[in-house]
Amino acid sequence: MIRFSCLLTVTALLAGAGEAQEAVPDALLAEQQPPGAEMSPAEVAQTGSLGWLQAQSDFALEFRDAGRITLAPGGVIAVDPLTWSDAWDLPWIEVPAGEARFLLALDQDEGRVSKALLVFSDAAPTCGDDVATIPVDTGLAGFFDRSMAAAVTRSAGILGPEKDLYNGWFDRMIGEVWVVGHILPLPDKTLIPIASSGWGDGGYPVARLRSATGETVALFADFMGKNAEGDWLLPPDCGTS
C-alpha cells in the first residue's frame, strides 16, 4: 500500500469554524496536554502490545491511557472522523466485540501521537497483518464500529441545515487542542475514539496484532513510523513469523 503524510494541525484546520450546538459539553480539553493519563512503567510492562511497539521503534514512546470504549459486533473501520461518510469504500476489520482500551503512543521528543491503539488483551503479540489505510484529511483519525458509523450518518439530521461535524460540533471541543487523543460524544451522545494523526494529513497504515495462540490483542494506526528513514511499523505476517 502507498502511504504519505504532511503537517496539518487541528487548530489550523478548525480555525474559523461555525458556531457549535449549545449541547456540546465544555470539556476543557485544551487543558489536557498531552491527552489521556500517563501510564506507569508497570502498566506498560503488563500490556504486551505496548512493549512490542517500543521494542520495534527507534524512537522513545510515551504511553497514555485515553479511556475505555465498548465495541459492537461486526468489526471496525479506521477513518477520518470528520470527513468519513458511508459512501466511502473502506474495509471493515474483524476485531473482538466488547470493551477495548483506547491507548496512545506519543513520540517523546515531538509530543505528537505516533500510534493510536485499541487494545483487547494484555497478551504479547508475535505477529499480525497490515489490514487497512486511514485516509486523513483533517489531521484526525479514529476507529468506528457499526453503531458509531451509523451515529455519524445520523448527525447531519440532528445538527440541521448548514451544520456538520467538521464545523458545527467538534470545533468547540477540540478547535484549540494541539494534540487530540480522547473519547468524545457525537450529537446523539454516542462515544467515538479520536486521535491526532501524528504529522497531519496523509494515508496511514493500520495493523492488527495477534498472540502466539492467534488471539487478536490490538489494532493500531501508525502515524510517524519506526525510524529516521520513515519506515512504517508493521508486524511480521502470521503466516511467515
Side-chain angles (χ1 to χ4, degrees), residues 21-29 169 172-173 184-186:
Q21 300 292 301
E22 290 303 316
V24 178
D26 184 8
L28 298 177
L29 297 182
W169 185 255
R172 195 160 140 201
M173 282 186 276
L184 298 177
L186 290 168

Side-chain angles (χ1 to χ4, degrees), residues 55-213:
Q56 305 302 313
S57 177
D58 290 351
F59 306 120
L61 301 173
E62 176 185 328
F63 296 101
R64 316 285 301 188
D65 188 339
R68 296 173 184 264
I69 192 84
T70 300
L71 300 176
V76 299
I77 48 176
V79 300
D80 182 320
L82 300 190
T83 61
W84 175 84
S85 81
D86 55 10
W88 290 35
D89 185 22
L90 296 177
W92 286 91
I93 305 162
E94 182 181 349
V95 296
E99 187 176 77
R101 288 186 291 163
F102 183 42
L103 307 182
L104 310 170
L106 273 61
D107 183 286
Q108 244 177 27
D109 293 332
E110 299 291 344
R112 296 177 181 272
V113 179
S114 179
K115 288 56 171 156
L117 306 87
L118 292 175
V119 175
F120 311 103
S121 167
D122 287 338
T126 59
C127 62
D129 44 351
D130 180 358
V131 291
T133 298
I134 302 182
V136 175
D137 295 314
T138 70
L140 295 171
F143 302 104
F144 288 176
D145 67 12
R146 293 183 185 273
S147 63
M148 297 172 196
V152 169
T153 301
R154 288 194 301 270
S155 294
I158 295 173
L159 292 173
E162 300 181 3
K163 295 283 187 178
D164 56 41
L165 289 177
Y166 185 89
N167 59 22
W169 185 255
F170 283 118
D171 58 298
R172 195 160 140 201
M173 282 186 276
I174 61 177
E176 300 300 323
V177 181
W178 182 63
V179 177
V180 178
H182 302 86
I183 296 173
L184 298 177
L186 290 168
D188 69 353
K189 300 184 180 181
T190 298
L191 298 176
I192 60 173
I194 299 178
S196 301
S197 54
W199 293 115
D201 290 357
Y204 298 101
V206 179
R208 181 170 46 199
L209 298 177
R210 298 186 186 275
S211 69
T213 62

